[in-house]
């Protein structure tokens, strides 16, 4: 935290710096975020407006440091999440107090505390995933993601998420057999897929998952939840691959009854079983994608489950949410960014243009992690090795150039996330760009199902409130007098 000497140093710079910039804290924030100054009230908070996103926040911290000639200490960055907090930090004599910590606001008229986006709010307990955003740690059911990605495989990790414990050899054998026997989809689903051949793959996946409920006579029976879950995990790759073939005018490849989950997925996409090296890479990606706590899609699934709706409805909501570019859809945006940059030496100029236009650099920043996303470490290594082995280093080199151009932001807590290197890996695995989101979703399915099961097991209707801030007590005026 700041010492008295720090405060004195900051104050010694204040008058000169602000006078030279003809600025106040409010005008500085207004200028950096690109919003009118009248909006810059003490109650305005980080992530409460579109302009004050993670990239805008780092830009603001850098501008404040430059203006006041003072480095903001790492432990202080998480405190500067409102205009009031920033004013108090740089002007300790300010009469305005910092209110309520991160991203919260007391609504005096209703005596409620508003947490926009439910940021920082724990709505329930979980035994599925543990995420330490400050130190960059991720665990599934108590097991480090680093151990799982190096030593486990998808079937074992999926079993862990669904059943809450590691399987014995016999349990894993039975689980694997049931997956392999459940891969075929009803013929009626192929008819639906053929009619949606021009739709985006994630739209097809969402629609087919919803429609599959009609062909499951046991869909409302909790007794068969695990069997239903295994069937869906097995069938999603079949749906994705079938759509790819149908839209290309090719023959659908029937799922294998002997290949592993990862190998069968790639086999149906490409027509030949993958090499051992490619298989290992793809399996690691599926494990890294398997769960990530109560993110937007998992929360959507749990909200639906909390109404006692069925698993298909919950997964449909999860997939629809996941498709958004602020969530799973970001992975497709990263590949677009790489293509737009074109060459590594153009990355710095691209980052400058994005910053000047107040646009994000895709693949950077995370709502939870304040340091490197622990999944990104493995994905970077995989992307590097795969690009060198395949003789196609260009795209990886572009990403590394983007990282170099983003160094000032990385030092302030905006680091690469799971989408950044995964996009290049998918490309190097010859997966079409518009399948990226769907393939990511296929990996995430065990986690979504585990989240839904946990909601069912200790259910309570998820029903947050909204704070009304509109007009009140208006008199009705007949339409002929308006």
């Amino acid at each position: 935290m700041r010492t008295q000497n720090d405060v004195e140093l900051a104050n010694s710079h204040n008058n000169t710096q602000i006078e030279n910039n003809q600025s106040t804290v409010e005008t500085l924030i207004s200028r950096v975020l690109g919003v009118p100054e009248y909006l810059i009230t003490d109650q305005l908070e980080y992530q409460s407006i579109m302009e004050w996103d993670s990239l805008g926040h780092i830009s603001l911290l850098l501008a404040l440091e430059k203006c006041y000639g003072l480095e903001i200490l790492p432990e202080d960055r998480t405190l500067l999440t409102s205009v009031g907090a920033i004013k108090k930090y740089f002007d300790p004599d300010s009469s305005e107090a910092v209110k309520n910590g991160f991203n919260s606001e007391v609504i005096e008229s209703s005596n409620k505390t508003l947490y926009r986006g439910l940021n920082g709010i724990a709505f329930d307990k979980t035994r599925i995933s543990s995420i330490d955003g400050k130190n960059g740690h991720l665990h599934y059911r108590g097991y480090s993601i680093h151990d799982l990605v190096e030593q486990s495989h998808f079937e074992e990790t999926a079993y862990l998420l669904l059943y809450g414990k590691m399987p014995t050899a016999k349990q894993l054998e039975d689980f694997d057999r049931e997956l392999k026997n459940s891969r075929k989809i009803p013929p009626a689903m192929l008819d639906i897929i053929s009619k949606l051949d021009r739709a985006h793959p994630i739209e097809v996946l969402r629609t087919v998952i919803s429609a599959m409920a009609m062909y499951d006579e046991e869909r409302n029976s909790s007794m068969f939840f695990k069997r239903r879950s295994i069937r869906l995990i097995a069938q999603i790759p079949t749906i994705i691959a079938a759509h790819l073939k149908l839209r290309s005018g090719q023959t659908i490849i029937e799922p294998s009854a002997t290949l592993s989950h990862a190998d069968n997925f790639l086999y149906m996409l490409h027509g030949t079983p993958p090499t051992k090296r490619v298989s290992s890479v793809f399996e690691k990606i599926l494990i890294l994608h398997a769960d990530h706590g109560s993110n937007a899609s998992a929360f959507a699934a749990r909200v639906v489950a909390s109404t006692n709706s069925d698993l298909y409805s919950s997964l449909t909501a999860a997939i629809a949410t996941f498709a958004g570019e602020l969530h799973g859809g970001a992975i497709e945006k990263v590949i677009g960014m790489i293509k737009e940059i074109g060459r590594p030496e153009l990355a710095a100029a691209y980052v400058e243009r994005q910053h000047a236009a107040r646009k994000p650099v895709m693949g950077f920043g995370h709502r939870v992690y304040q340091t490197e996303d622990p999944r990104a470490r493995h994905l970077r290594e995989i992307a590097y090795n795969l690009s060198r082995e395949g003789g196609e280093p260009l795209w990886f080199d572009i990403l590394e150039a983007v990282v170099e151009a983003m160094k000032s932001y990385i030092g302030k807590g905006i680091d690469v996330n799971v989408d950044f290197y995964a996009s290049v890996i998918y490309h190097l695995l010859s997966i079409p760009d518009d399948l990226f989101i769907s393939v990511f979703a296929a990996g995430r399915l065990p986690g979504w199902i585990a989240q839904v099961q946990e909601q069912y097991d200790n259910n309570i209707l998820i029903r947050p409130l909204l704070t009304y801030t509109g007009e009140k007590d208006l008199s009705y005026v007949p339409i002929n007098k308006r």
Side-chain angles (χ1 to χ4, degrees), residues 15 34 36 41 65 69 93 106 110 123 214 221 252 262 276 302 381 386 409-410 461:
N15 291 337
T41 65
E65 287 183 333
D93 295 327
V106 172
S110 60
F123 73 92
M214 296 184 293
S221 172
I252 293 174
K276 187 175 181 179
R302 293 187 76 133
E381 181 181 355
L386 211 56
Y409 294 93
I410 292 173
L461 180 66

Side-chain angles (χ1 to χ4, degrees), residues 52 56 367-368 468:
W52 199 349
R367 185 72 172 260
V368 176
Y468 179 74

Side-chain angles (χ1 to χ4, degrees), residues 304-363:
V304 175
S306 79
T307 69
N308 283 338
S309 191
D310 61 55
L311 177 61
Y312 297 96
S313 299
S314 296
L315 294 179
T316 300
I319 293 168
T321 307
F322 192 71
E325 67 178 52
L326 295 182
H327 195 9
I331 192 170
E332 195 173 304
K333 295 292 183 180
V334 173
I335 212 70
M337 175 186 74
I338 295 171
K339 291 179 177 179
E340 182 178 346
I341 293 172
R343 301 197 307 273
E345 60 269 25
L346 300 179
Y350 173 86
V351 170
E352 288 182 9
R353 288 197 306 273
Q354 292 296 101
H355 177 63
R358 294 284 304 123
K359 294 180 179 179
V361 176
M362 301 308 297

